[in-house]
Amino acid sequence: MDAASSPPPPFAALRRTYEGLPLSEADLAADPVTQFASWFADAVDAGFPEPNAMVLATSSAGGRPAARTVLLKGYDQEGFVFYTNYESRKGRDLAENPRACLVFPWHPMRRQVRVEGTVVRLPREDSAAYFHSRPYGSRIGAWASRQSAVVRSREELDDRYRQLAERWPEEPPMPEFWGGFRVVPAEVEFWQGQVDRMHDRLRYRRAGGVWLVERLAP
């Protein structure tokens, strides 16, 4: 049976009722990072696998979008941090268009957090401190993978990894092409699922030096 004659997937059977505690303006912290810390702690306490996994959306200078899942590696009042190969597609996108959107999809809790903002590179010393805290294999892997480039085979990757491990059997240096980015938030939306798709959506929006809170229609 080919795809054209296959029955459609039972999307109606996948429907779920979203039931969550109401989210009101009075429930929110004074700033979005403090509110994020509260919800992130809830996701960690709930035992979600990799609660720091987030979708990172970027766009090239020409407007070609791309999205992928990466790991949050830190956050504070300055923003949300992740690390990557600067020569990867996301690295090239951010060099051309330093804006991004993050989504934390905590589906079992019927929650999402969406962050929009500008993106800046971390200082080299900050990236180095994180790089040298990583497991040895991950540090070699950062050198071995020309991220987003076409490779001929898996064997080519494995051979490159072995060669680099032989070159640096103990302490590989940090590559010049690798490091951190910080997403500096301009908007942060907290989404709480509710019955009948009447979800609560509260958005912090930076206006001057203060955060405004706005309710969005679901």
Side-chain angles (χ1 to χ4, degrees), residues 86 121-130 173-179:
Y86 288 141
R121 285 195 185 191
L122 291 186
R124 182 99 180 139
E125 57 270 22
D126 292 358
S127 294
Y130 173 71
M174 185 177 75
E176 290 292 329
F177 53 77
W178 189 96

Side-chain angles (χ1 to χ4, degrees), residues 110-127:
R110 308 294 189 247
R111 286 178 174 176
Q112 296 182 68
V113 178
R114 188 172 60 82
V115 180
E116 293 185 31
T118 56
V119 183
V120 296
R121 285 195 185 191
L122 291 186
R124 182 99 180 139
E125 57 270 22
D126 292 358
S127 294

Side-chain angles (χ1 to χ4, degrees), residues 1-15:
M1 181 179 294
D2 60 29
S5 59
S6 299
F11 287 110
L14 301 177
R15 182 178 293 276

Side-chain angles (χ1 to χ4, degrees), residues 68-188:
R68 73 290 285 163
T69 301
V70 300
L71 296 178
L72 177 72
K73 290 298 182 179
Y75 66 91
D76 56 25
Q77 292 294 334
E78 294 184 1
F80 299 81
V81 171
F82 66 94
Y83 294 87
T84 191
N85 185 315
Y86 288 141
E87 298 174 358
S88 66
R89 179 169 178 182
K90 55 185 169 300
R92 296 194 305 271
D93 278 358
L94 292 170
E96 296 176 7
N97 179 12
R99 296 189 62 82
C101 182
L102 309 174
V103 178
F104 295 86
W106 296 320
H107 300 309
M109 298 176 68
R110 308 294 189 247
R111 286 178 174 176
Q112 296 182 68
V113 178
R114 188 172 60 82
V115 180
E116 293 185 31
T118 56
V119 183
V120 296
R121 285 195 185 191
L122 291 186
R124 182 99 180 139
E125 57 270 22
D126 292 358
S127 294
Y130 173 71
F131 181 83
H132 292 293
S133 75
R134 304 177 84 202
Y136 169 81
S138 296
R139 285 178 280 163
I140 293 294
W143 278 97
S145 173
R146 298 181 177 93
Q147 199 173 83
S148 302
V150 174
V151 293
R152 291 188 298 271
S153 66
R154 175 70 200 201
E155 288 73 23
E156 178 184 352
L157 284 174
D158 291 341
D159 286 346
R160 180 167 170 79
Y161 183 97
R162 282 192 292 270
Q163 292 169 9
L164 290 163
E166 290 173 0
R167 179 178 179 182
W168 294 303
E170 294 183 359
E171 290 295 332
M174 185 177 75
E176 290 292 329
F177 53 77
W178 189 96
F181 285 109
R182 175 182 286 111
V183 180
V184 181
E187 296 184 3
V188 184

Side-chain angles (χ1 to χ4, degrees), residues 166-207:
E166 290 173 0
R167 179 178 179 182
W168 294 303
E170 294 183 359
E171 290 295 332
M174 185 177 75
E176 290 292 329
F177 53 77
W178 189 96
F181 285 109
R182 175 182 286 111
V183 180
V184 181
E187 296 184 3
V188 184
E189 179 187 330
F190 292 84
W191 182 100
Q192 176 70 68
Q194 300 294 347
V195 297
D196 298 327
R197 302 302 192 253
M198 295 293 286
H199 312 306
D200 286 317
R201 296 176 61 190
L202 294 180
R203 178 180 66 187
Y204 293 82
R205 179 170 59 85
R206 191 184 291 278

